[in-house]
Structures are given as structure tokens and as C-alpha cells.
Amino acid sequence: MATLTLAKAALRTKIKNILKNISTEEKAEQSANVFKKLCALHEYRCSIRVSIYLSTKDEIDTMSILQHMFETGKEVFVPQYHGNNMEMVHLKSMEDYKTLPLTKWNIKQPNRTEYRKNALETGGLDLIILPGVAFTKTGKRLGHGMGYYDKYLKRCFQNQKTKPYLIALGFKEQIQDDVPTNENDVAVNTVLTG
């Protein structure tokens, strides 16, 4: 277990250093390419209830995807973190997004004191768009180390009859030949890169 933890930490540091050296223009270009690939995916086009992460500067920018989801009438859910848990809660519109407060990680998220529809309590999700630090082409994913998504996905699988389709987004530099994982790490169906 200690070896796995060290291997994950080393890979996170390696990728963090790589991402620091990608220009803002290159990140924007790769984000635009990922957006086009996502829009072409059958699973995305057919999904109605979708959760998406709200990106930071070192992740594929999800703003155009978010906008597209509202334009195409999808029901949008975004992460809301509290303690060691994460829920996916309803986001009404781009205007709603703009009013969200920032967390200590500089990520926008709905305020916990405000009631919002919870995805798992109101019919589940068809599709989940996930961030990550590193991925393999076969769907292995290394997250940021808190286990939020892995724990959430396990709850999702227990609560829904049909598993949601999982799509991870990343820069091409985040694709690795292998990623250290164990039985707690949930693999994704598709990895889209720029």
C-alpha cells in the first residue's frame, strides 16, 4: 500500500510539473479539441442528466461544455464538496454558474447552505465528466488524491440501476503508459484528450 501511495504521489508531481509548462494558448487549443470530440460522442449526445466538473487553470476548460449542455437542454449537475464527501447538485444556468462562490481550492461550487436538487436523490445520472491528474488510453485514472470521485462513483453504482457512462478529460500530456491503481480506483469508459 505504501509503495502504491508513493507511486501515485510521484506521478502527481511529475504531471503537475509538465502542466506548468503548457502555454495558455496550448491549453485553450486542447480544450477546444476535447469539446469537439465530446460533442461528437453518441453517449454525450444521448445523455440528459449529466454531471461535469468546474475546471481550474490546470484542467481541460469545461466552460464551453457547460454552455453547450445548457443550450442543448441537458440537466446539469456539478460537484459540491463537504468534508470527505462530494455530492452532485443541480446547476440551473450560466447565470447561476457565475454567482457561485469560490472554495479554498479556488473552484466554484454551490453554497452548502442553499438547497439544490441532488442527482442521486432525483433520478441519478446518465453521464459523468471527470477531471484527473493522469490517465491511460484504456481508462485508468489517477485523481488528485482525495478519493472524492471514486467514493461518489461507488455510491452512484449502488444507487442506480444503470451505471452512468464515465468520460475523463485531459491534456495529451496527461496520458501515460500506465497509472498506479488499486481496487478502490474506478476506471472510466472513455478518456478524451486534446
Side-chain angles (χ1 to χ4, degrees), residues 159-171:
N159 289 327
Q160 291 188 210
K161 284 186 183 79
T162 311
K163 278 186 177 181
Y165 193 81
L166 308 178
I167 301 175
L169 309 181
F171 297 107

Side-chain angles (χ1 to χ4, degrees), residues 53-65:
Y53 68 96
L54 300 175
S55 54
T56 65
K57 66 176 177 54
D58 286 327
E59 294 172 325
I60 289 291
D61 187 347
T62 56
M63 282 312 94
S64 51
I65 299 167

Side-chain angles (χ1 to χ4, degrees), residues 32-156:
N33 289 342
V34 165
F35 173 62
K36 284 184 204 132
K37 288 179 184 179
L38 180 70
C39 289
L41 263 190
H42 169 77
E43 289 82 1
Y44 171 73
R45 289 197 318 267
C46 294
S47 63
I48 294 164
R49 294 171 60 89
V50 183
S51 85
I52 185 166
Y53 68 96
L54 300 175
S55 54
T56 65
K57 66 176 177 54
D58 286 327
E59 294 172 325
I60 289 291
D61 187 347
T62 56
M63 282 312 94
S64 51
I65 299 167
L66 192 61
Q67 182 110 34
H68 186 263
M69 286 165 58
F70 287 121
E71 287 168 4
T72 53
K74 296 188 186 302
E75 204 169 339
V76 180
F77 294 86
V78 296
Q80 182 184 57
Y81 304 92
H82 38 94
N84 293 327
N85 265 329
M86 177 178 79
E87 295 297 338
M88 291 295 175
V89 297
H90 191 243
L91 188 66
K92 302 176 206 78
S93 62
M94 285 308 286
E95 289 67 39
D96 187 15
Y97 164 76
K98 288 172 188 154
T99 66
L100 297 179
L102 283 173
T103 65
K104 65 180 178 191
W105 301 298
N106 226 18
I107 301 169
K108 282 185 168 246
Q109 87 164 13
N111 199 322
R112 291 202 318 257
T113 56
E114 175 190 353
Y115 173 76
R116 287 178 181 259
K117 266 194 324 192
N118 182 312
L120 290 185
E121 294 166 2
T122 58
L125 293 162
D126 304 323
L127 181 82
I128 298 177
I129 298 172
L130 305 89
V133 175
F135 314 94
T136 64
K137 287 180 177 162
T138 57
K140 283 185 174 182
R141 173 187 166 271
L142 176 68
H144 291 278
M146 299 296 286
Y148 286 117
Y149 273 92
D150 293 312
K151 286 185 277 192
Y152 184 79
L153 293 171
K154 290 199 170 92
R155 280 178 37 227
C156 222

